[in-house]
Structures are given as structure tokens and as C-alpha cells.
Amino acid sequence: METNMKKTGAFLPPEAIREQLAAADRIRLGYAAQGRTDDNAPGYYVLTFGCQQNEADSERLGGLCAAMGYRRVDDMADADLILVNTCAIREHAEKKALSIIGSCKHLREKNPDLLVGIGGCMVTQKHRADKLKNSYPYVTFTFDTGAVHLLPSLVENALAGGKRQFIHSEAYEIAEGLPLDRTSKHMAWLSVMYGCNNFCSYCIVPYVRGRERSRRMEDILTEAKMLIADGAKDITLLGQNVNSYGKDLADSADDPDFSDVVRAVCALDGDFRLRFMTSHPKDASDRLIAAIADCPKVARHFHLPVQSGSDEILKRMNRKYTSAHYKSLIDRLKAAVPDISITSDIIVGFPGETEEDFEATLDMLRYVEYDMIFSFIYSPRPGTPAAEMPDQVPHEVSTARFERLLALQNEISLRRNERFLGQTLRVLVEGVSKTDDNMLTGRGDPVRPVHFPGESSLIGQFVNVKIEKITPFTLEGAMSN
């Protein structure tokens, strides 16, 4: 399958970006000539499925929408332009996206001028884009993950009465200089690289995101400075495998790796916390561990997906490491950063998984003592090697194992959270609790949310919270001096 990969380019030439920004300006001026500015401006609505990289892409889509003269709205029914940024990691995400896209039909009937654009990983699969073209006539255009920057020209064509367009990129290239419309002032995504070269047997990402390509260090730092100046206090460095950063820049003068990125961003002025994801165990280096230990701005949290504790299953997954290697990495991480919170991804019921294999995964939980896990029952993705493997595990077996996994992890999470009782944590207030208007929610260095009473005026600020109560999933307390 690797031979069918689309070509990965390097960087889009600046003139290609200028061309799109010029199209955006023409659209904005056209709306201004109609008197549609400020509160009367046409509305845009972006719905995002999937990972943080999609969230980051959506902020660029929003930035382009703002450049075209659109204002963000909170209800699809109020939008003149609807963009659905899709995910292809699991079938459930695709089905949910298609259901939402289907609901656009009645909106288009009420507003014939409504534009509906579908982007993201799902439409990077040509059969999905073809289905949208043939079965969803109210979809105006699609654009895959290599074509986010083309949004202005797609909208301009649609506004001019042009034919529906369905973009299937021939190359993946990095588009620098796109505007952002951030959904949060105090939390920010910062992509450092795109794509993946790992070809895990269950994963569709390399086929829909392209090969690994790293941004230039100077571009990363320019964006980081902009985010900090704009009020960002919690910055997450993103990549499908951040630990591979710089491998495609090996001919550059300074030959940076990801630890250099972490140190360089942390060296910038400002009161902010730095996170990163996602890391691949085979590429996690001692240099990165040292950077975490040395840089106070780095959150004491490492998300390190193990997927399985069984060497046989790891081999079938094409993960390129063993359980012993993973445990050694965990040992070095805990030795260097004793207060580290470790989280992981785990797949239950991978093809061929025996009871012995599953017990090895439970043993891995006991060994590492994760603070939290993100666990999934294996879901076959068409076009991946694992989907064609024999010995698919019956759903009822996977479900029973899944429940056992969660029960064990809940015990571990509760035990891990006990260490915070009585401690005072520095917490960034993220918002009002979804279940209690009198409670605020935030995060400290630990990954779990912290709930405490407070006023909404504190959102976006750092506060000290003394922890008084724990659950397996949260910490609760009160503000303290």
C-alpha cells in the first residue's frame, strides 16, 4: 500500500498563498460593497471531528473565512458557509460526519445560497469524496488535507456560480502564512510537522495525511511568538509523531530535532505552559526526556501510546518496538521527571489478540501506572493491512476485555490521584463546568481536569487551587493564595 501514497511536497511557494489571500480579499470587498460588514457580515460555521491536528486546521479555515469577510456563528442555521472538517480514524467518526452533512440538506432548501464545504481526512479518501459528489448534491465542494489553503478560491468559484469542485490533491505541501481564527485566546495549537511514516497496520493516517514533513524552526517560533502575544498560556505542539521532527530537514545547517523545538519555544518570553503530542515510543529520545526535565514551562505530562502490552500484537501492529523497550523508556522518564503524569492509547481486540496477549496489556497498566488512558475497541479501517488480517476478535470478547481494562485503569487512576490530596496546584482556568455553573474547570501540570468554585472572569488566568477531593477522573478543590 505504501507505493500508492500521494507524493509529499515541501513548502508551497509564497505566491500560491498570496493568490489565495488575494481571492479572500476580493470576496471580502464584494461583501463590503453589498453593505455586509460587522454584525451584518455573512456567517461561517466550522464543525470539527477528530484529532487536535484537525482542530488546528479548522482554526486556519476560520482564519481564511475571516479574511473573506465572514464572521463566526455558533449555529449552523445562521451560517452562509458551513465547513465540516472530517476524521477517518474510526468508522463511527465517518458515519457521524455523514449524518451531520446529511442534515445540511434542509438548511440548503431554506437558504439556496448556502455554501457547504467538506474537508479533512475522510474526503482525502477518494471513494468518500466521490460519494459526497454523487449522493450529496447540496455539497458545494470538498477539499482534502492537502488543500486547506485553497478555501478562498473554492468559495470564490461557488459565489460566481461555478461548477461544484472536488479537490483531490496530488501532493502534500506545507502552507505557511495562513491566517488564524482561534477558538480560544488562552489555549493554542501549534503544528510543528505533518504526516506520518510509521504505517501501523491498523491506521489510515499515512494515507490521508501524507508523509512526514517538518516546518522550519523559524516559522514555528514566529507563530509561537504570535500566539503568546495574542494571549496564549497553554500551547500544545502538534504532529502525528512529534518525535520524528527534523528527520526530513537533515540537510539543514543546524539539523534540529524535536527536543530543540521544545527548548526553543520554552526560551521565548511569556508566562505559558507547553505541551506536545503525539509521541511514538520508537522515536522518544533521551534528549527529549532531558528537555522536559530541564524546562520549567513544559507540563509534567507525557502522552506515550503503547497500544498493547503484547510483543506479538505489537509486531502485528507494526509498532517497531517491544514491551521491554517501552518499559525501559518509562523507567528513564520517571527517573528524570519523578512527578511526571503518563497517559497512553490502548487498542483492545486487535486481530489475533489472545487472552494471554490481553493479560500482557493489563500487566503493562500495572507496571506503568498510567494517570489516564484513552482506550478503544479495534475497528477495522478499509485499506489498512489489519482489516484483512485473519483471527478477527469477536465483538463480545473485545467488549468484555474492554470493561476489564477500564476497571483496572480506574483503580490505578484513583490511586495516582491520591498524591494530589492537600497539594496546591497552579491551574489555568479553561472555562465554566459543564455540570455546575458555579464551578470552574482548568488544568495544571497533571493531565486530569481540576474543578473548583470561582467566577467566570478568571477564565484564561492562572490560579492556585488546593486539592480537597479526588475521583478517578478529576481533582476538586478551592482557590488558595
Side-chain angles (χ1 to χ4, degrees):
M1 292 186 64
E2 193 168 337
T3 57
N4 294 328
M5 285 288 297
K6 294 180 189 178
K7 179 179 67 175
T8 294
F11 297 88
L12 275 171
E15 54 268 26
I17 302 300
R18 288 196 293 268
E19 180 182 339
Q20 293 303 315
L21 295 179
D25 204 42
R26 289 193 296 270
I27 295 169
R28 181 185 59 80
L29 291 173
Y31 280 128
Q34 299 171 18
R36 302 195 67 181
T37 59
D38 300 326
D39 292 341
N40 189 40
Y44 85 86
Y45 180 90
V46 178
L47 179 62
T48 308
F49 292 89
C51 67
Q52 291 83 359
Q53 193 68 265
N54 265 17
E55 297 281 358
D57 286 348
S58 287
E59 291 189 343
R60 281 171 169 73
L61 292 172
L64 289 169
C65 287
M68 291 185 289
Y70 288 85
R71 59 184 173 86
R72 190 194 312 162
V73 297
D74 297 325
D75 191 328
M76 289 177 67
D78 297 328
D80 299 275
L81 170 61
I82 294 174
L83 300 173
V84 183
N85 195 0
T86 62
C87 174
I89 293 297
R90 283 176 291 278
E91 186 177 10
H92 175 73
E94 291 191 356
K95 288 183 176 179
K96 188 173 181 180
L98 290 171
S99 175
I100 294 292
I101 294 166
S103 71
C104 293
K105 180 180 180 180
H106 76 276
L107 295 175
R108 186 73 180 273
E109 290 171 349
K110 292 180 180 179
N111 178 12
D113 294 327
L114 173 67
L115 305 182
V116 179
I118 315 300
C121 293
M122 186 181 80
V123 298
T124 304
Q125 304 167 100
K126 191 173 184 302
H127 73 281
R128 286 299 193 189
D130 288 344
K131 181 176 178 62
L132 290 170
K133 177 180 180 179
N134 298 324
S135 303
Y136 296 74
Y138 45 89
V139 169
T140 314
F141 54 81
T142 67
F143 54 98
D144 59 25
T145 58
V148 169
H149 65 287
L150 294 178
L151 180 63
S153 62
L154 291 169
V155 172
E156 187 174 43
N157 171 74
L159 292 174
K163 293 182 178 180
R164 300 163 70 210
Q165 292 186 298
F166 300 86
I167 305 298
H168 197 60
S169 300
E170 293 301 321
Y172 294 87
E173 297 172 302
I174 295 177
E176 295 289 1
L178 296 181
L180 294 174
D181 188 7
R182 293 171 51 214
T183 56
S184 169
K185 280 292 184 183
H186 52 279
M187 300 178 67
W189 311 116
L190 176 51
S191 298
V192 301
M193 63 181 300
Y194 304 92
C196 183
N197 290 356
N198 288 314
F199 291 92
C200 299
S201 62
Y202 53 82
C203 187
I204 198 74
V205 166
Y207 309 104
V208 296
R209 282 278 179 186
R211 295 295 190 93
E212 291 173 356
R213 60 245 187 241
S214 304
R215 295 179 68 190
R216 293 176 290 250
M217 178 76 85
E218 57 267 30
D219 293 325
I220 294 171
L221 294 179
T222 296
E223 185 170 343
K225 291 175 184 176
M226 180 272 292
L227 293 172
I228 296 165
D230 197 37
K233 295 184 178 180
D234 193 296
I235 300 173
T236 302
L237 306 180
L238 295 178
Q240 265 69 45
N241 177 16
V242 289
N243 298 337
S244 290
Y245 175 85
K247 290 184 177 180
D248 55 322
L249 302 175
D251 58 348
S252 64
D254 53 0
D255 191 14
D257 67 8
F258 184 59
S259 69
D260 296 317
V261 176
V262 170
R263 290 182 183 276
V265 175
C266 284
L268 298 176
D269 291 335
D271 184 14
F272 63 91
R273 181 187 294 120
L274 189 68
R275 305 179 189 272
F276 58 87
M277 63 187 317
T278 294
S279 290
H280 195 293
K282 74 177 179 63
D283 300 311
S285 68
D286 289 337
R287 284 170 56 89
L288 176 57
I289 293 173
I292 298 170
D294 294 344
C295 300
K297 290 180 180 177
V298 179
R300 268 39 187 168
H301 168 223
F302 203 124
H303 184 70
L304 194 63
V306 67
Q307 305 300 1
S308 174
S310 162
D311 285 344
E312 177 58 31
I313 296 300
L314 290 174
K315 183 177 180 180
R316 290 169 70 93
M317 289 178 169
N318 194 34
R319 290 291 287 174
K320 302 183 179 70
Y321 57 83
T322 64
S323 59
H325 171 87
Y326 185 91
K327 290 176 179 177
S328 173
L329 182 58
I330 293 294
D331 292 343
R332 299 197 304 276
L333 184 58
K334 288 183 175 181
V337 192
D339 59 340
I340 195 78
S341 292
I342 302 173
T343 58
S344 192
D345 296 339
I346 293 178
I347 296 173
V348 175
F350 189 79
E353 182 187 73
T354 64
E355 181 64 21
E356 183 180 4
D357 294 323
F358 178 67
E359 285 291 344
T361 298
L362 297 182
D363 287 342
M364 182 65 78
L365 264 63
R366 298 183 184 102
Y367 185 89
V368 177
E369 291 203 312
Y370 296 107
D371 290 77
M372 185 184 298
I373 61 170
F374 301 88
S375 51
F376 311 92
I377 294 176
Y378 170 72
S379 172
R381 303 306 297 133
T384 62
E388 306 300 324
M389 287 181 178
D391 302 322
Q392 299 284 326
V393 178
H395 181 71
E396 59 272 18
V397 174
S398 296
T399 301
R401 289 175 181 170
F402 185 73
E403 295 299 327
R404 290 164 57 195
L405 182 87
L406 293 185
L408 174 59
Q409 182 56 47
N410 288 347
E411 294 175 8
I412 295 171
S413 294
L414 184 62
R415 186 165 63 249
R416 289 287 294 163
N417 283 353
E418 287 176 352
R419 73 190 195 273
F420 296 111
L421 279 172
Q423 284 196 26
T424 297
L425 304 179
R426 189 169 188 251
V427 172
L428 176 63
V429 185
E430 297 179 358
V432 176
S433 169
K434 295 179 181 178
T435 58
D436 186 343
D437 291 343
N438 297 314
M439 297 286 282
L440 298 176
T441 298
R443 276 193 302 175
D445 269 3
V447 68
R448 77 271 301 145
V450 181
H451 301 307
F452 54 95
E455 300 294 330
S456 60
S457 59
L458 294 172
I459 294 173
Q461 299 182 33
F462 285 108
V463 299
N464 293 323
V465 178
K466 185 174 182 180
I467 305 305
E468 301 171 338
K469 181 182 177 181
I470 62 169
T471 75
F473 317 108
T474 63
L475 305 176
E476 298 179 20
M479 284 189 292
S480 172
N481 294 327

